[in-house]
Amino acid sequence: SGGLLAYADSHSDDNKSIIEQSPKEPQKKKVVVLGTGWAGTSFLKDLDLKSYDVQVVSPRNYFAFTPLLPSVTCGRVEARSIVEPVRNIIKKRSGEIQFWEAECLKIDPANKKVICCSNVEENAARNDKFSLEYDYLVIAVGAQVNTFNTPGVFEHCHFLKEIEDAQRIRRTVIDCFEKAVLPGMTEEERKTNLHFVIVGGGPTGVEFAADLHDFVHEDLVKIYPLVKDLVKITVIQSGDHILNMFDKRISSFAEQKFQRDGIEVLTGCRVIRVSDKLINVKMKSTGEDISIPHGIVVWSTGLGTRPLLRDFMQQIGQGNRRILATDEWLRVEGCEDVYALGDCATIDQRKIMEDISSIFKAADKDDSGFLTIEEFQDVVEDIIIRYPQVELYLKSKHFSEVTDLLKDSEGNDRDAVTIEGFELALSHVDSKMKSLPATAQVAAQQGAYLSRCFNIKEKGKHDPEGPLRFRGPGRHEFRPFRYKHFVQFVALGGEQVAAELPGDRVSMGRSTQWLWYSVYARTAFHTKMD
Ligand code: FAD
Ligand code: MG
Ligand code: MG
Ligand code: MG
Ligand code: MG
């Protein structure tokens, strides 16, 4: 299948970094990694330190195991048990990685350097800035919360992104109880203090609500028995269902569990303002505005792009995008030698229809203007590697349904495929494209993938044929990144867990936290790609 993969790159010429290799480069290439979250640490885990000089920049000198962060809010899990110091991670590697506890303030792709600052918050006037040069830059800075410019959210809501957030939420929840039992409070005032509102019915919001419910009903009611009947937990969701990114069975399982637990779920409802004591929402169906008294609001919806990347996107011509785009090799579009992975970026998946005529030309080896059925089948096998949507499409269809499209108007089998037939056969494939979720699993797999590409790259062409290598002599050395979905859990409280498994399977029911934890840790770090 020679040369088939070359067509896809006719649109871009920025592949040189991967293609051109200097065989006897005496100096190690300088790699700068921004961020020590799921993506960054997973990239560092297996990177070949004999080939690279690595510097890591992050304002936090630890990695946080975010799936258990909601459980920290309720003291079920200790904060220190879900963090791992970066220096420990680095120590485990033989070879040197330098770590700088600092925030990257600016990326300067024209001069291939980044500008960092070690005390952004403490004293901006002091000169603690330094710059680092790179040959390759790996951006893994994650996302920040998105308030959608809703007034009052920054001032009056809690977020749940960092360890400190979880600890602050825990203190505030207990404070709410302390306030509610003070003498001289009216019953209304006590109820207001004990109304816990969560905005966002995604996995994080749902898990927090479930943990909070358990915390309140297992622990706090014993300490504050006077007010135990005044507690209320409400989840506000703009869509029609909570957990609507999961299988319907999971979302209704969760809704039923919440109903039994007395957790109120307000769906079809948009937050328009938050103040010290009130949260105002608009019901989408009726247009009605309601104002709800609260003790605490936890804002757990929306991902936004960090200012650092906004500025970078302006510089490289991605200024009108919402989120930084890479190609399927995780290379930032429009910027040489810069890679981005995890929550801070999205893969701009190439549409097959944009390349359809060059694909056809490459497959039609004798330039006859037709493909034989065998040539057609060959080319489909090849394009599956380049365009993951083809595989999703074939999974949803039977292969014969695709070849059925190759029948002529009388229903007779064609013995050859014209460009029109080829286009028709593949015309629905692109509708199967979907962007990857912002999860630890995706971030960790992308980190592992990228370090493998980096390791192969510097070893040169004599490297044995690895699974990442292409079969044909295309312009790309590596297969594009491919996400493998193993399992995603949502803990619903009371040891109830819902899991979305590969192949449209779901599993719901009782489990234990430690089992969930151990399975999670194994699957999220799973790096096998073939
Ligand atoms: P992050 O892990 O957020 O890491 C970003 C890193 O960049 C951090 O080290 C940060 O300090 C650093 N950084 C930020 N700004 C700068 C800068 N200017 N310069 C240098 N460094 C910088 N996913 C799941 O798959 N399953 C779950 O159960 C799950 N539960 C979650 C629960 C909660 C409460 C949260 C918040 C997230 C959860 N996620 C879960 C999502 C998962 O945590 C993210 O998808 C994942 O962390 C993304 O990894 P990342 O490396 O891209 O970003
Ligand atoms: Mg990271
Ligand atoms: Mg993280
Ligand atoms: Mg992403
Ligand atoms: Mg032919």
Side-chain angles (χ1 to χ4, degrees):
S1 54
L4 270 180
L5 292 150
Y7 54 79
D9 296 304
S10 48
H11 68 290
S12 93
D13 246 323
D14 56 4
N15 312 311
K16 286 189 225 93
S17 64
I18 280 189
I19 311 307
E20 279 175 13
Q21 294 180 354
S22 27
K24 280 189 199 73
E25 181 73 75
Q27 284 224 299
K28 286 185 185 181
K29 289 269 179 11
K30 286 200 265 319
V31 178
V32 171
V33 180
L34 305 179
T36 52
W38 281 95
T41 52
S42 145
F43 174 74
L44 293 173
K45 211 161 118 293
D46 296 312
L47 186 66
D48 183 358
L49 302 178
K50 288 199 283 299
S51 311
Y52 298 103
D53 261 332
V54 184
Q55 302 188 75
V56 181
V57 178
S58 176
R60 282 164 214 287
N61 66 353
Y62 54 81
F63 162 79
F65 191 88
T66 48
L68 289 177
L69 204 49
S71 303
V72 172
T73 58
C74 302
R76 205 130 71 112
V77 170
E78 285 290 338
R80 71 184 130 76
S81 67
I82 69 161
V83 302
E84 165 113 40
V86 172
R87 303 232 173 244
N88 280 0
I89 299 172
I90 289 172
K91 234 178 16 214
K92 284 183 194 148
R93 305 292 327 275
S94 54
E96 215 183 327
I97 297 177
Q98 281 181 304
F99 173 72
W100 313 116
E101 188 181 282
E103 189 175 323
C104 176
L105 298 182
K106 191 171 178 71
I107 299 168
D108 178 0
N111 299 302
K112 295 188 100 171
K113 61 180 190 185
V114 293
I115 292 143
C116 306
C117 182
S118 62
N119 69 342
V120 177
E121 273 149 40
E122 288 155 33
N123 184 355
R126 240 172 66 196
N127 191 11
D128 292 319
K129 287 191 187 158
F130 57 94
S131 82
L132 303 173
E133 290 178 356
Y134 63 80
D135 294 307
Y136 302 118
L137 178 65
V138 175
I139 305 176
V141 294
Q144 66 178 25
V145 291
N146 191 350
T147 67
F148 307 103
N149 295 323
T150 313
V153 172
F154 262 121
E155 298 83 350
H156 302 292
C157 291
H158 285 258
F159 302 108
L160 183 46
K161 282 283 286 178
E162 313 286 350
I163 303 282
E164 294 88 341
D165 297 334
Q167 291 169 322
R168 211 174 300 124
I169 288 172
R170 180 177 164 77
R171 282 197 301 275
T172 310
V173 167
I174 293 170
D175 270 351
C176 288
F177 274 87
E178 293 293 355
K179 278 189 208 146
V181 295
L182 285 175
M185 285 262 167
T186 66
E187 170 128 332
E188 268 330 291
E189 284 166 334
R190 295 189 207 279
K191 275 189 177 162
T192 297
N193 274 309
L194 296 174
H195 188 201
F196 304 105
V197 179
I198 294 114
V199 181
T204 305
V206 164
E207 289 197 335
F208 171 63
D211 271 328
L212 182 63
H213 173 268
D214 288 358
F215 183 38
V216 166
H217 291 273
E218 286 162 20
D219 301 328
L220 293 179
V221 294
K222 291 184 198 132
I223 308 172
Y224 308 96
L226 274 179
V227 291
K228 72 174 171 22
D229 298 325
L230 305 180
V231 179
K232 188 172 166 196
I233 299 173
T234 302
V235 177
I236 295 176
Q237 161 73 332
S238 60
D240 292 337
H241 293 281
I242 56 171
L243 299 181
N244 56 9
M245 62 290 286
F246 291 97
D247 189 283
K248 277 199 193 67
R249 288 166 287 179
I250 288 182
S251 111
S252 48
F253 178 78
E255 283 170 359
Q256 283 158 20
K257 167 96 176 40
F258 276 14
Q259 199 171 20
R260 287 197 302 278
D261 288 345
I263 298 174
E264 185 175 25
V265 177
L266 282 179
T267 56
C269 183
R270 197 165 59 82
V271 176
I272 47 183
R273 189 169 47 256
V274 183
S275 69
D276 184 24
K277 283 273 167 285
L278 293 175
I279 174 165
N280 289 74
V281 300
K282 192 180 211 82
M283 303 305 293
K284 282 184 181 165
S285 53
T286 59
E288 190 189 356
D289 281 355
I290 329 178
S291 135
I292 306 167
H294 69 80
I296 169 175
V297 179
V298 175
W299 185 271
S300 159
T301 184
L303 291 182
T305 296
R306 295 188 186 281
L308 166 75
L309 295 190
R310 283 252 140 270
D311 169 72
F312 173 58
M313 287 162 74
Q314 288 289 348
Q315 294 183 60
I316 60 169
Q318 289 199 26
N320 50 13
R321 292 189 52 99
R322 206 177 49 79
I323 173 168
L324 182 65
T326 69
D327 65 12
E328 298 89 332
W329 288 265
L330 310 183
R331 298 173 303 184
V332 170
E333 288 183 348
C335 190
E336 197 111 327
D337 296 333
V338 181
Y339 300 77
L341 55 165
D343 284 4
C344 69
T346 188
I347 296 174
D348 189 9
Q349 180 64 57
R350 185 88 185 150
K351 289 194 182 70
I352 201 164
M353 277 303 148
E354 290 169 7
D355 300 327
I356 195 93
S357 51
S358 34
I359 297 173
F360 186 87
K361 272 202 206 96
D364 179 15
K365 296 195 189 82
D366 58 358
D367 278 335
S368 64
F370 300 97
L371 303 185
T372 63
I373 296 299
E374 290 76 50
E375 277 176 331
F376 174 76
Q377 281 166 346
D378 270 359
V379 73
V380 170
E381 273 172 34
D382 272 323
I383 59 183
I384 280 177
I385 302 171
R386 177 67 180 83
Y387 306 87
Q389 63 266 41
V390 175
E391 194 179 1
L392 295 173
Y393 179 70
L394 292 179
K395 263 190 200 147
S396 72
K397 296 272 170 210
H398 204 269
F399 191 74
S400 67
E401 287 180 74
V402 181
T403 43
D404 276 353
L405 285 168
L406 305 173
K407 291 189 162 66
D408 64 18
S409 52
E410 271 95 56
N412 300 317
D413 277 344
R414 298 175 199 268
D415 43 17
V417 182
T418 60
I419 178 77
E420 291 77 24
F422 192 60
E423 276 183 18
L424 188 62
L426 296 174
S427 58
H428 297 292
V429 167
D430 287 329
S431 69
K432 287 287 166 192
M433 289 196 299
K434 61 175 181 197
S435 50
L436 295 173
T439 64
Q441 292 195 62
V442 171
Q445 288 180 32
Q446 289 183 333
Y449 163 83
L450 193 63
S451 70
R452 288 186 67 192
C453 292
F454 268 63
N455 291 347
I456 296 173
K457 182 157 75 172
E458 284 305 294
K459 279 188 195 145
K461 296 222 184 323
H462 302 295
D463 196 54
E465 208 51 16
L468 269 177
R469 289 225 184 256
F470 272 139
R471 289 172 292 160
R475 289 186 59 205
H476 282 292
E477 264 192 282
F478 315 118
R479 285 166 183 257
F481 171 72
R482 191 75 76 81
Y483 172 57
K484 286 256 167 72
H485 184 73
F486 293 103
V487 60
Q488 187 160 1
F489 294 97
V490 190
L492 297 170
E495 297 187 345
Q496 295 285 316
V497 172
E500 193 170 64
L501 306 164
D504 280 341
R505 286 177 301 134
V506 300
S507 153
M508 291 156 299
R510 188 165 284 270
S511 165
T512 55
Q513 197 76 15
W514 70 265
L515 179 69
W516 175 70
Y517 180 92
S518 65
V519 172
Y520 196 88
R522 262 192 295 122
T523 55
F525 271 119
H526 206 303
T527 57
K528 204 165 165 291
M529 273 178 289
D530 269 78

